[in-house]
Amino acid sequence: MKMRNGLDATRREAMALAATGMGGLMLGAPLEASAMKDGKAKAVIQIWMWGGPSHLDTFDPKPDAGADYCGPYTAPIETNVSGIRICQALPELAKHADKYAIIRSMTHGINAHETASYVTQTGRPVGGDTFPCAGAVVSRFKGVDAGYKGLLPPYIVLTKPQGRFSESGFMGLRYKPFATGGRPSQTPFTVEGIIQKGITQARQESRRDLLAALDTFGRRTADNPQIRHMNLCTDQAYELILGDAGKVFDIKDEDPKLRERYGRSDFGASCLIARRLVEQGVKYITINYNYSPNWDSHKKHFEVMRTRLPEFDRGMATLLDDLHQRGLLDSTIVWAGGEFGRGPKIQWEAPWNGGRSHYGKCFSHVVAGGGFQGGQVVGASDETGSEVTDRPVYPWDLIGSIYEQLGIDPNAKLPHPQGIDVRVCATEADGITIGGRLREIMS
Amino acid sequence: MTKGRGLLAAVAVLLTAGSMTSGAVPRLACARIDRLVQDKLVELDIPQSEICTDEVFLRRVYLDMIGTLPTVKEAEQFLASNAQSKREALIEELFERPEFADYRAMKWCDLLRVKAEFPSKLWPNAVQAYYRFVRTALWKNMPYDEFARLMLTSSGSNFRAAPVNFYRAMPQREPEPIAGIVALTFMGMRTDAWEEEKLKGMAAFFGKIGYKGTAEWKEEIVFHDPSKTYCYTGTAKPVPCVLPNGTAVEVGDYEDPRVAFADWLVGSRVFADNMVNRIWYWLLGRGIIHEPDDIRAGNPPQNPELLAFLSQELVSSGYDLRHIYRIILNSKTYQRSSIHTAGNLNDEENFSHYSIRRLDAEVLIDAICQITKTTESYSSDIPEPFTFIPENERSVRISDGSITSPFLDLYGRPSRDTGYVSERNNTPSAAQKLHLLNSSHIQNKILNNKGLLGMEYKRVKGKKKPQVQWKKPEEAIETMYLTILSRYPTAKETNTAIAYIRESGLNRYDASVDLVWGLLNSKEFIFKH
């Protein structure tokens, strides 16, 4: 008897679907019980600084390296944790250094966007299969397959998909993020599919009736599994369109003072919305921080930093503080960083005119909350920020630590379309050097 | 066999051979397909569905052959024709459409993993060269054995000898992973379940492939490098060349072993099986061996006689791919209704009825753009050089798998990482439905085509500007149906639509927008049926 993918499977799917909000439809392999553990952390907000932010001009300042290295940022500021100094352009983050840990010894040695993005987001070396990035893995182990019942998708990206490789890799569509599109800072924030300008609730309802009235073909094929499946999708979509779930994206009723603190930028609004999504139980939110001009500042780097840094500073600092005030920081990991850092030595010559290149040998990431201790610095770089001098941290060390805080078993199997046995975390058998989990800051 | 013939020579032969328009429908072959399918159904006691109506056939064959909806005019003409053989004639017409090659090239480029940057790194210029080669070969109907041989045995620059990109569009350039990709592409087989010795024997044929850069940016030469030896791990012992069927092959020191492999491959049964099975899968939604890239002893064909017949047709036609399309498309099997009968609802593998499938991501967005007279913007500033796709280009024609859009991602366009058919996901999801029901992306498109909404601009005496006039509701509704569903509305459907215009409380404009929105969201539109 061959495995049939007919009616029975569809019934199972329908039951699963009916129970799970926006899970999508592809059958996920059932989760093993061992993978259903709770961790300290319940959710992750990832600030993905696409293009690679400069570590020297953010969390690893080198004031003594000379003008060719630090440019105009010669006077780092003290933070509220004695002994930790960060770039002078980040005064708000300086007030909350007790909430986050700075990893100054991130390294993978890759200077190409696509492979560096892949390694940094998946915690996997390049080669063989295309693995899912952290968000998709969390979606697998904390999302619908693990009994997540929210109406909102468990994995959301504000606003554009990350691109460069498919977020869910070989695990496929089921674990991809829901990308909102739209502009979070605007009223309304038109989340594609959920919030539309100019169509009233009454018209949504009359449209829905019209759709049913016009469905000649659907009536003739009502028993077909594909058609039944589509009906379920439509019902689910309408729960979101006509229900209250979409209100989470509407920040107009938030305290204006708080909105001001977050900043009226798209990034600031994204941080605020990310907090609201966490409150709604969403498991993984990526803020794809990729606005023009982005962190990939080959040319006129310091001009770009003049707009980006203050915006980043307000948004992230307020997010940490807001989560903390609401008692959510202990259960929410906030992770910020890009695919690499930027060249410590400034390229003053044309065509760069004060630019910084890609730099994967040594860079910084920041991690906060969800069981990671604040007020800490992990690792160190040399006097120019060119080499890691202490405690190298590879992307798999950081991502593995994040999984651990979420209670995801590093040895659990990932669903694979060809049934190949692959596990959550890479090991030395994959030909990588392991720096080790971030025990020094994990509680 | 035309060993080692160049592309130009191959094309020249083609053009003189006149296989571009072969025209006559091989009715015997079509009848044979139907007989073989029916025999199996009788054996299993599964009834067949009726032959589909003209309007269903029209839309289906357009979508399956050229990934494009018929225009209103094309639909009107076909539906009005009384010619006996109008279906055959339409199939021949569609073979000659550039979109036929576009759509086939898209499917081939999925299989060949054509993309600029991850995990394979072709880079933009080579993507263009490779795509052009693939599309041209399909457009000229190059014999399939020749097409495969060119990819397997070419040497030269990735920009100028485009087929060499076959060896570059791979995440890993070691003999074993190369053999794995060759097996998947041309044999429909997955080598991860093979015994190590078998894989190594095949890998040995790909043990002397060299890659070198040039002074030109991102140019790479792929060549036969006699100085390379593929050895057993940790030894200096060369691995002998052994074909997947177990036959050892002696390859001289200076011979290119790829040629020996290609010689065997194109004459093998699995080579023909794989190709006809993939075409069957593309047209009918399920392989005779399923999944189509899982050919192995433990996964036998559901209808071995049918597979054998199609394979034999491919070989005897001189590897003419269009011949295979022609005999399948003209068969009753392909032309059955998707409306199931009481006894065949659960039949998925015996082709008792046409299987309902969601449109491919690219086809769907192209159809929506055609209906609404809008375009999509695609560009990529990664990797360099930047790529900008012209506004009026159809999504089916995007050559680079790295260039995508939120819509295409949402609708399951394959990432072109592996070449497996399972990468393309056409399963509907709630998120997709949300987008179609309620996104500004789709809404703005609907608002764009005023003619479709029923508005006409007419010059009126004494007025400078043309004035808006509304078409009669019946006329407007008929145009909507022909444009979106490629058929005339029934009287009942027309009444439903008119009632909405008159009774919904909306003005004519908003009501018309909702009608177009409703048809775009209908299952009849989203599915091939």
Side-chain angles (χ1 to χ4, degrees), chain B residues 2 10 18 20 34 52 73 84 130 136 160 195 205 264 300 320 329 337 353 411 415 471 480 489 519:
Chain B
T2 50
M20 287 266 308
D34 293 332
C52 69
K73 208 163 169 182
Q84 267 285 296
Y130 197 19
T136 305
R160 281 179 291 280
E195 282 166 21
F205 290 98
W264 167 78
D320 177 354
L329 291 163
S337 166
H353 57 94
Y411 278 84
S415 55
K471 283 186 206 160
M480 286 178 194
L519 293 178

Side-chain angles (χ1 to χ4, degrees), chain A residues 45 62 137 195 408 436:
Chain A
I45 298 172
K62 300 291 176 184
V137 172
I195 298 160
I408 296 174

Side-chain angles (χ1 to χ4, degrees), chain B residues 458-528:
Chain B
K458 291 234 163 99
R459 292 218 163 272
V460 179
K461 264 195 180 161
K463 299 268 187 185
K464 268 194 178 161
K465 283 190 180 155
Q467 299 297 296
V468 171
Q469 294 196 336
W470 286 93
K471 283 186 206 160
K472 284 204 189 84
E474 297 80 351
E475 271 177 51
I477 290 157
E478 182 171 287
T479 306
M480 286 178 194
Y481 269 83
L482 279 168
T483 307
I484 301 169
L485 301 178
S486 313
R487 66 173 177 88
Y488 292 94
T490 61
K492 189 165 171 267
E493 286 168 331
T494 304
N495 291 338
T496 303
I498 289 176
Y500 193 79
I501 291 173
R502 295 202 175 126
E503 294 156 27
S504 64
L506 297 166
N507 60 31
R508 173 81 192 258
Y509 180 81
D510 284 345
S512 304
V513 167
D514 287 6
L515 287 170
V516 170
W517 168 92
L519 293 178
L520 281 182
N521 271 286
S522 68
K523 299 181 189 93
E524 189 174 354
F525 175 71
I526 297 165
F527 287 106
K528 280 197 288 203

Side-chain angles (χ1 to χ4, degrees), chain B residues 94-381:
Chain B
L94 295 178
F95 275 133
E96 301 306 324
R97 291 270 297 259
E99 295 94 334
F100 176 74
D102 294 341
Y103 191 38
R104 305 273 61 91
M106 179 183 104
K107 295 285 186 189
W108 265 100
C109 289
D110 288 349
L111 175 58
L112 296 168
R113 301 156 318 281
V114 178
K115 68 189 297 198
E117 78 162 345
F118 194 91
S120 304
K121 294 195 181 68
L122 276 175
W123 304 121
N125 297 353
V127 164
Q128 297 307 318
Y130 197 19
Y131 177 80
R132 242 192 329 271
F133 157 73
V134 170
R135 190 190 171 282
T136 305
L138 295 164
W139 174 238
K140 304 276 194 204
N141 201 23
M142 181 188 287
Y144 177 59
D145 56 340
E146 193 62 38
F147 182 53
R149 181 184 291 284
L150 276 171
M151 286 193 266
L152 286 168
T153 62
S154 292
S155 292
S157 152
N158 57 337
F159 297 163
R160 281 179 291 280
V164 302
N165 286 296
F166 177 77
Y167 289 108
R168 295 181 67 256
M170 298 193 182
Q172 292 159 291
R173 297 176 172 187
E174 305 300 319
E176 286 175 39
I178 292 175
I181 288 208
V182 172
L184 183 76
T185 310
F186 296 116
M187 299 157 72
M189 294 178 119
R190 304 174 181 184
T191 54
D192 42 80
W194 285 15
E195 282 166 21
E196 197 184 356
E197 227 17 58
K198 183 174 176 181
L199 180 61
K200 279 196 177 324
M202 178 164 160
F205 290 98
F206 306 100
K208 291 182 184 291
I209 300 173
Y211 299 87
K212 63 184 176 195
T214 75
E216 179 67 42
W217 194 58
K218 303 280 193 208
E219 185 178 41
E220 190 173 37
I221 311 282
V222 179
F223 62 105
H224 165 56
D225 182 354
S227 71
K228 281 180 117 171
T229 325
Y230 167 59
C231 296
Y232 287 103
T233 319
T235 70
K237 188 174 160 231
V239 178
C241 291
V242 182
L243 294 166
N245 65 2
T247 313
V249 177
E250 276 303 319
V251 182
D253 284 350
Y254 292 95
E255 280 178 56
D256 186 344
R258 295 180 301 165
V259 175
F261 182 82
D263 286 348
W264 167 78
L265 177 74
V266 300
S268 70
R269 170 74 201 272
V270 73
F271 177 71
D273 277 357
N274 167 57
M275 192 64 247
V276 297
N277 190 49
R278 284 184 187 276
I279 293 176
W280 189 271
Y281 166 79
W282 285 332
L283 294 175
L284 287 129
R286 189 184 175 91
I288 302 166
I289 299 174
H290 199 71
E291 300 273 323
D293 44 32
D294 193 15
I295 297 181
R296 59 189 155 87
N299 186 27
Q302 178 67 8
N303 190 330
E305 295 79 11
L306 176 63
L307 185 69
F309 172 70
L310 290 168
S311 271
Q312 187 192 311
E313 283 290 308
L314 180 67
V315 176
S316 63
S317 66
Y319 293 90
D320 177 354
L321 294 180
R322 268 184 216 187
H323 174 73
I324 303 301
Y325 281 103
R326 184 175 287 115
I327 60 180
I328 297 173
L329 291 163
N330 280 291
S331 71
K332 290 195 176 78
T333 304
Y334 173 77
Q335 296 185 17
R336 297 220 171 270
S337 166
S338 61
I339 311 281
H340 47 80
T341 67
N344 70 20
L345 172 62
N346 293 333
D347 171 46
E348 286 189 358
E349 54 271 282
N350 298 292
F351 317 108
S352 56
H353 57 94
Y354 182 87
S355 84
I356 294 179
R357 284 163 287 156
R358 210 209 67 211
L359 300 190
D360 292 333
E362 303 88 330
V363 172
L364 180 62
I365 194 66
D366 284 348
I368 293 170
C369 286
Q370 177 180 316
I371 289 163
T372 57
K373 296 192 168 159
T374 55
T375 56
E376 288 283 278
S377 292
Y378 297 102
S379 68
S380 174
D381 50 6

Side-chain angles (χ1 to χ4, degrees), chain A residues 259-287:
Chain A
R259 286 199 57 187
E260 212 51 54
R261 280 178 55 212
Y262 270 103
R264 298 271 174 176
S265 62
D266 282 328
F267 176 70
S270 296
C271 288
L272 172 53
I273 290 163
R275 183 216 83 205
R276 293 166 61 100
L277 291 169
V278 166
E279 287 173 318
Q280 293 293 317
V282 174
K283 296 297 170 190
Y284 199 101
I285 301 110
T286 299
I287 298 172

